[in-house]
């Protein structure tokens, strides 16, 4: 239950990056040797990657006190059971390609109700072009996915870029095992590109080279992952809820562990709130928010920042005039249809919000009223709607609050430490 909060104060650390943690643990599992992942995200999605990598042969020790994961990788094995990756799209997509490199037999990857609806066919079709047999058990392009052990063949693969960049990340992480250099050719414009930049960035740390080309990417063949020590940076998508709360409520807060030179696309949240009129201060490794701002509505292209949509939708509700979110067709393909969910639920608070095929049009009403909101088992909706609840008149009940464990397990405590009036009712 959330109550209107009139002041936020204090200093908090942004949780570690979900995207970097996934790639770090999977890359380390492919490297012959021992890697250390320092400051990993202990969120359920990243633990799904840990579990999947273990099932595929990595030895991983999770050291809570040291806040480190020790990964001994390099030898893939045939899993002795189905791999249940829970709610994590990133894990499902990346491990589908990797699983083809087990020495013999099959791997089966599945997950929860939401994951078994998320698109996989473009990746399955791409793998087929490389002589890898992976298919949907229901023959409808969704998990469970059955992957057959096989040798990569060919030097070209075509894939569309507009459904999920995770397909391309997946290919990038497995193609170093091809004997030949492989060209990834995009057949439609790439969305969520910054996540590819994250992949290329961390893969270079593992010693894997990828080149951007005119039509896509070139992954060099016959490359070996090398073991590394890796410190995971803070997560801008998770920080977006803290930043949104900070600019909407009278605040004096500092969010540490956010690096100004990060490759994360979601650092765009800084420019979005600045453009809306909030004078947040950006330092080398932190963001400072002081005061309370009157925000103005803006148009936001979310092609490369799909995960910020719920945050921007909430900001738009409290801004003067119109906020338009566009280029976000892929935002419907996440844990739930987030465009529809934002429109449906924020309306319950009195928001003026219209759904379009590729986005939302929000007319700021300045005042929302507390309501009972469904969050569709979606962590980002829980966090964005919490921010709306802190600014709304009266009480807001957020159903399914425990979904925050996916990407920001201590979200409620962090918010409470800043003074947010939140009570968890179980
Ligand atoms: O590769 C990643 O770490 C991610 C890519 C994005 O998905 P899409 O590429 O499917 O848009 C993003 O929404 C997701 O939360 C994380
Ligand atoms: C869509 C998300 O993650 P994934 O695709 O890994 O499930 C997310 O974290 O918002």
């Amino acid at each position: 239950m959330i109550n209107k909060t009139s002041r936020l104060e204090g200093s908090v650390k942004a949780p570690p990056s979900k995207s970097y943690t996934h790639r770090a643990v999977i890359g380390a599992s492919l490297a012959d040797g021992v890697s250390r992942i320092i400051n990993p995200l202990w969120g359920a999605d990243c633990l799904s990657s840990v579990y999947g990598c273990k099932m595929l042969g990595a030895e991983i020790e999770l050291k809570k006190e040291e806040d480190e994961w020790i990964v001994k990788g390099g030898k893939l094995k045939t899993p002795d059971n189905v791999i249940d990756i829970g709610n994590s799209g990133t894990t499902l997509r990346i491990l589908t390609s990797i699983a083809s490199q087990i020495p013999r037999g099959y791997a089966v990857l599945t997950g929860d109700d939401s994951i078994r609806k998320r698109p996989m066919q473009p990746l399955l079709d791409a793998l087929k072009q490389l002589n890898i047999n992976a298919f949907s058990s229901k023959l409808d392009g969704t998990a469970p996915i059955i992957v057959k052990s096989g040798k990569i063949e060919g030097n070209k693969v075509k894939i569309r870029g507009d459904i999920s960049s995770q397909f391309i990340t997946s290919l990038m992480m497995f193609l170093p095992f091809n004997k030949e250099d492989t060209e990834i050719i995009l057949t439609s414009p790439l969305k969520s590109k910054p996540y590819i930049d994250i992949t290329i960035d961390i893969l270079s740390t593992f010693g894997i080279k990828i080149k951007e080309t005119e039509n896509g990417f070139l992954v060099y063949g016959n490359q070996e992952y090398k073991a590394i020590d890796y410190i995971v940076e803070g997560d801008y998508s998770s920080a977006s809820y803290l930043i949104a709360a900070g600019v909407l409520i009278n605040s004096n807060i500092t969010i540490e562990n956010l690096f100004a030179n990060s490759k994360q696309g979601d650092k765009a949240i800084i420019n979005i709130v600045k453009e809306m009129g909030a004078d947040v201060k950006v330092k080398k490794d932190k963001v400072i928010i002081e005061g309370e701002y009157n925000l103005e509505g803006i148009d936001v292209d979310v092609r490369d920042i799909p995960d910020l949509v719920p945050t921007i939708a909430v900001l738009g509700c409290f801004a003067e005039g119109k906020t338009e979110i566009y280029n976000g067709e892929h935002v419907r393909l996440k844990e739930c249809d987030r465009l529809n969910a934002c429109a449906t639920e924020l309306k319950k608070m009195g928001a003026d919000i219209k759904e379009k095929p590729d986005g939302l049009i929000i007319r700021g009403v300045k005042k929302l009223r507390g309501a009972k909101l469904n969050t569709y088992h979606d962590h980002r909706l829980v966090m964005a709607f919490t921010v709306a609840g802190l600014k709304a008149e009266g009480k807001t009940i957020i159903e399914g609050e425990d979904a925050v464990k996916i990407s920001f397990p201590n979200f409620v405590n962090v918010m409470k430490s800043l003074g947010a009036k939140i009570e968890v009712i179980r």
Side-chain angles (χ1 to χ4, degrees):
M1 187 177 60
I2 324 273
N3 271 304
K4 185 169 173 150
T5 299
S6 50
R7 175 88 181 148
L8 294 176
E9 226 172 81
S11 179
V12 292
K13 200 171 159 205
S17 156
K18 176 166 85 77
S19 294
Y20 273 105
T21 303
H22 278 301
R23 289 156 173 78
V25 71
I26 297 171
S29 299
L30 297 173
D32 193 5
V34 178
S35 294
R36 269 170 79 210
I37 302 169
I38 302 153
N39 189 40
L41 175 65
W42 296 74
D45 267 16
C46 296
L47 294 172
S48 287
S49 281
V50 168
Y51 171 72
C53 289
K54 279 185 171 176
M55 291 290 282
L56 290 170
E59 288 171 37
I60 306 179
E61 196 189 339
L62 306 184
K63 299 179 121 181
K64 194 83 214 182
E65 241 161 58
E66 291 84 349
D67 198 15
E68 276 181 23
W69 296 348
I70 310 294
V71 184
K72 195 163 168 221
K75 255 202 198 92
L76 292 179
K77 70 159 201 214
T78 305
D80 62 8
N81 200 351
V82 166
I83 307 176
D84 182 346
I85 53 77
N87 189 246
S88 175
T90 313
T91 311
L92 174 67
R93 269 79 180 252
I94 301 179
L95 291 190
T96 290
S97 304
I98 302 291
S100 69
Q101 299 308 293
I102 56 175
R104 68 192 73 80
Y106 295 82
V108 181
L109 295 113
T110 189
D112 69 9
D113 290 349
S114 153
I115 215 76
R116 285 183 281 106
K117 293 192 189 102
R118 295 182 65 186
M120 287 296 285
Q121 196 60 48
L123 179 60
L124 305 179
D125 293 343
L127 290 171
K128 185 108 196 130
Q129 298 165 46
L130 296 161
N131 189 44
I132 298 298
N133 258 309
F135 52 93
S136 154
S137 73
K138 298 172 283 178
L139 301 176
D140 68 353
T142 65
I145 302 294
I146 302 171
V147 186
K148 188 175 181 202
S149 153
K151 192 168 155 289
I152 310 171
E153 273 173 26
N155 56 14
K156 258 192 195 71
V157 55
K158 289 189 178 167
I159 187 155
R160 56 194 290 185
D162 58 342
I163 302 289
S164 171
S165 72
Q166 292 169 354
F167 302 149
I168 293 129
T169 285
S170 179
L171 295 173
M172 285 177 165
M173 291 191 77
F174 113 114
L175 281 171
F177 296 113
N178 194 2
K179 291 278 168 267
E180 299 183 61
D181 299 350
T182 324
E183 220 184 313
I184 301 176
I185 301 161
L186 298 172
T187 57
S188 59
L190 185 57
K191 294 199 167 187
S192 301
K193 163 86 164 44
Y195 293 97
I196 299 289
D197 298 336
I198 289 175
T199 304
I200 295 174
D201 178 42
I202 189 164
L203 285 184
S204 77
T205 317
F206 281 110
I208 299 293
K209 281 202 312 232
I210 294 171
K211 195 173 90 177
E212 206 166 332
T213 62
E214 212 178 303
N215 310 316
F217 303 92
L218 183 73
V219 184
Y220 296 99
N222 244 333
Q223 300 191 74
E224 277 178 18
Y225 281 78
K226 68 173 198 299
I228 54 171
D229 282 0
Y230 191 81
I231 306 173
V232 181
E233 66 180 52
D235 192 302
Y236 273 97
S237 326
S238 297
S240 77
Y241 313 105
L242 306 172
I243 293 168
V247 301
L248 288 173
I249 297 166
N250 185 336
S251 299
N252 184 356
I253 65 173
T254 301
I255 308 162
E256 316 259 3
N257 200 30
L258 286 180
F259 294 90
N261 66 357
S262 172
K263 297 235 177 314
Q264 293 174 55
D266 284 4
K267 87 177 170 192
I269 187 63
I270 303 288
N271 284 338
I272 291 170
V273 295
K274 276 193 176 172
E275 207 186 321
M276 292 180 106
D279 177 29
V280 302
K281 291 184 186 60
V282 177
K283 306 275 175 203
K284 195 171 92 251
D285 58 356
K286 62 177 155 240
V287 171
I288 301 164
I289 306 167
E290 274 174 301
E292 187 176 16
Y293 301 98
N294 286 320
L295 301 183
E296 278 182 28
I298 57 168
D299 290 353
V300 190
D301 180 346
V302 296
R303 186 189 60 177
D304 287 338
I305 51 170
D307 292 358
L308 290 182
V309 165
T311 316
I312 302 165
V314 169
L315 286 167
C317 290
F318 296 102
E320 186 82 44
K322 181 183 76 121
T323 293
E324 182 157 351
I325 292 172
Y326 63 99
N327 257 335
E329 289 92 345
H330 55 324
V331 178
R332 296 188 187 278
L333 307 174
K334 307 291 177 188
E335 280 73 337
C336 71
D337 175 345
R338 287 181 177 155
L339 295 180
N340 181 262
C342 283
T344 308
E345 300 307 313
L346 292 171
K347 266 186 206 156
K348 293 180 185 167
M349 303 182 90
D352 179 349
I353 178 165
K354 267 198 206 73
E355 199 181 329
K356 305 179 300 163
D358 71 328
L360 298 167
I361 298 179
I362 306 145
R363 294 195 190 269
V365 286
K366 293 247 168 166
K367 271 200 162 81
L368 292 188
R369 54 174 187 273
K372 188 172 179 179
L373 305 182
N374 188 352
T375 57
Y376 310 83
H377 306 288
D378 185 332
H379 53 130
R380 301 210 183 277
L381 297 183
V382 174
M383 295 186 276
F385 294 168
T386 296
V387 175
L390 293 173
K391 184 80 177 164
E393 305 298 323
K395 292 185 194 317
T396 298
I397 309 268
I398 308 275
E399 292 185 319
E401 127 317 300
D402 70 319
V404 297
K405 68 175 186 291
I406 295 292
S407 61
F408 194 163
N410 58 351
F411 173 72
V412 172
N413 286 338
V414 167
M415 292 304 292
K416 279 168 84 166
S417 76
L418 295 173
K421 294 186 183 153
I422 306 179
E423 203 185 312
V424 178
I425 312 163
R426 293 202 204 273

